Amino acid sequence: MSVIPGPPVRGDGGLHDIAAAGGLHAYQLRLHAEYGPVVRFELPGTDSAVSIADPVLLEATAGINKRPEELFEFLAPLCEAGNLQTLPADEHTPWRRAVLSVLAGRRSHEAHFPGLTALAGRLADRWAEQAGEGPVELQKDLSALSLRMICQYALGNGVHDPDEVVTAFEVVLTEYLGRQYQPADPGAEEQRRKRAQESLAYLRATVDDVLAPARQDGNALAAALVAAGMSPARVRDTVLMIMLAAHHTTGVAVSWTLHLLSRHPAEAERVTAEIDEVLSDRDAPEYADLKRLTRLQMALKESMRLYPPGPYGARETTEDLVLAGYEIPTGTTVFYPFWAVHLNPQYWPDPETFNPGRFTPDQVAGRPRYAYVPFGLGPRSCEGASLAMMEAELVLAILLRRFRFEPASGHDVVPVERFVLWAADGIRMNLTPRPATR
């Protein structure tokens, strides 16, 4: 067997090379450009990892259900009793099935659709009242909307202050995830840790508040988790992680899509023309309308290719594997650089160009299954993928129906790698109300 290629070992968990490259994504692109589709490299949280950026090779690892525990240690503060993200493989399957029963059902989606539509409509109304007062910050407002949606959908209750919850999640993730990839700053560490602990306590109290009436009302998600054998503390931790994943990923996916459409006005015009045709004289779609918004779906998927909300994943091999002539022993951390996979020029010509036409049925059929993995792959893929797509399509249809979006002048949009792919200084847009079509 050939030796897996990779950079020299420095013994610092890769921190120097990641920082020198400008971030983990840029580092991954450089590694795979230099060493090929399978690369051995240092990664914080594990002695070494093997990164795979080819979708055909990814398929050979898709069935792995073991998380590398040390690599996901940053989630430990959020998981006092364990949750779906960190459960061992033997416990994971039945509880994943319980979550899917609530989050992935079309009948459930359709039943909640009017309530989700009302939430998105209220945000659009607020933006309409603010039109002309300066740019809106998409990530902030859309993350808060997504949080309201997941609470209403899965928890049967709202959150009193979604903005404070969003801020608290950012504090916790910046502290517990951010420090994995940055050199320590002893002077600020204690202050950051204290703020993160306070934010985490606030998040736990918020989830407890949400769940207390939900349990009395026979909430579907809480009931499904309890029926699957979860203790109250583990139900709380699982719901906390669902709130985290749902509000971040959907909110940023919609934000990045509006960002890209605002910079490609011809494509934005095609999407809005389709929305106008399908909706006729209505301000919002009905559930059955979503499948007719094909141009919107293609724009959303292309946005999630260029800016995947969750840019990375990882598993730990439970048996010896052979990939591309390389032996990968049991216990190896396999790193999934989803962002790099989405920019692989072998499968995505001119990969950094925004081109929704890549997602016509013919184009999709011509690519390997795992060339596009915005929600991960295998038994640890996102349980809320179909719900997230439904929510994102609904929100985009309502907002693009009512507004034209233009980038705020002098504002640079720069992606930064956290738990999700976030814009470092937000995504600010000027909104112009579109004429009513009634």
Side-chain angles (χ1 to χ4, degrees):
M1 292 291 174
S2 301
V3 176
I4 299 174
V9 175
R10 292 180 176 270
D12 66 345
L15 289 175
H16 176 274
D17 290 336
I18 292 170
L24 186 55
H25 168 58
Y27 184 49
Q28 287 291 308
L29 290 178
R30 182 174 72 75
L31 287 179
H32 286 290
E34 183 173 352
Y35 297 105
V38 181
V39 180
R40 172 199 46 77
F41 74 112
E42 291 182 274
L43 183 67
T46 183
D47 292 336
S48 66
V50 174
S51 181
I52 302 173
D54 184 274
V56 176
L57 299 178
L58 279 180
E59 189 160 6
T61 73
I64 300 174
N65 193 2
K66 181 174 174 54
R67 291 272 198 185
E69 293 181 6
E70 291 186 7
L71 192 61
F72 286 86
E73 183 64 26
F74 73 92
L75 289 174
L78 290 126
C79 310
E80 281 185 335
N83 67 61
L84 202 64
Q85 294 294 321
T86 57
L87 290 176
D90 58 342
E91 298 180 64
H92 175 260
T93 299
W95 289 351
R96 173 181 169 85
R97 191 178 298 120
V99 172
L100 285 171
S101 71
V102 179
L103 300 186
R106 174 176 175 173
R107 187 174 300 176
S108 181
H109 291 181
E110 193 165 7
H112 284 86
F113 197 79
L116 302 181
T117 301
L119 289 172
R122 284 201 285 273
L123 174 63
D125 290 343
R126 178 160 64 84
W127 281 0
E129 293 173 356
Q130 297 172 349
E133 297 180 1
V136 298
E137 209 296 274
L138 296 190
Q139 282 185 155
K140 177 177 177 291
D141 286 354
L142 289 169
S143 291
L145 171 63
S146 296
L147 181 62
R148 288 186 175 97
M149 284 181 159
I150 192 60
C151 288
Q152 178 170 306
Y153 186 98
L155 306 179
N157 201 344
V159 170
H160 296 303
D161 191 345
D163 291 342
E164 188 173 353
V165 172
V166 171
T167 299
F169 273 127
E170 283 304 298
V171 170
V172 169
L173 290 174
T174 299
E175 168 63 11
Y176 293 113
L177 176 58
R179 67 182 180 182
Q180 278 195 288
Y181 302 104
Q182 300 174 4
D185 180 0
E189 190 168 345
E190 183 59 33
Q191 183 177 357
R192 290 199 314 265
R193 183 183 294 112
K194 181 180 179 181
R195 188 180 178 207
Q197 289 171 344
E198 292 172 349
S199 295
L200 184 53
Y202 166 75
L203 290 174
R204 288 195 175 114
T206 297
V207 173
D208 284 338
D209 287 344
V210 170
L211 285 179
R215 290 193 187 103
Q216 297 171 10
D217 297 340
N219 172 265
L221 180 59
L225 296 176
V226 170
M230 281 196 181
S231 66
R234 186 165 281 187
V235 170
R236 181 204 65 199
D237 280 359
T238 296
V239 169
L240 184 63
M241 190 59 64
I242 288 173
M243 289 171 63
L244 166 66
H247 94 264
H248 266 84
T249 51
T250 306
V252 298
V254 173
S255 299
W256 285 119
T257 303
L258 293 172
H259 163 74
L260 288 165
L261 287 173
S262 74
R263 284 156 174 76
H264 297 83
E267 190 58 49
E269 183 60 32
R270 295 185 189 99
V271 172
T272 54
E274 175 188 69
I275 293 171
D276 290 345
E277 180 180 357
V278 170
L279 270 57
S280 184
D281 61 350
R282 292 173 286 131
D283 285 335
E286 297 177 356
Y287 182 76
D289 292 325
L290 295 185
K291 65 182 179 182
R292 300 171 57 199
L293 297 174
T294 56
R295 198 78 202 180
L296 182 149
Q297 293 167 5
M298 289 160 54
L300 173 60
K301 289 178 179 178
E302 174 69 346
S303 167
M304 293 173 71
R305 181 188 70 83
L306 285 167
Y307 297 107
Y312 311 111
R315 303 288 185 271
E316 183 178 310
T317 56
T318 54
E319 60 183 5
D320 294 346
L321 297 178
V322 176
L323 294 178
Y326 302 118
E327 182 176 357
I328 301 178
T330 302
T332 299
T333 295
V334 176
F335 186 77
Y336 295 149
F338 298 138
W339 206 359
V341 173
H342 286 183
L343 296 179
N344 187 327
Q346 183 177 351
Y347 304 99
W348 304 99
D350 197 11
E352 296 190 12
T353 297
F354 178 66
N355 176 15
R358 302 179 198 272
F359 287 92
T360 63
D362 288 346
Q363 290 283 328
V364 172
R367 288 190 294 267
R369 177 182 180 185
Y370 293 116
Y372 179 66
V373 281
F375 295 104
L377 69 159
R380 296 273 180 172
S381 60
C382 176
E383 291 80 14
S386 61
L387 174 61
M389 289 298 291
M390 181 268 281
E391 289 180 347
E393 291 166 15
L394 168 63
V395 173
L396 284 167
I398 289 174
L399 296 180
L400 290 167
R401 173 67 160 173
R402 294 185 58 176
F403 304 103
R404 290 189 177 90
F405 291 82
E406 297 180 354
S409 61
H411 173 61
D412 293 328
V413 178
V414 180
V416 61
E417 304 154 24
R418 295 186 184 174
F419 188 71
V420 297
L421 190 59
W422 195 255
D425 194 30
I427 300 176
R428 299 174 198 159
M429 290 278 182
N430 293 313
L431 276 58
T432 303
R434 296 182 67 219
T437 58
R438 295 187 182 89

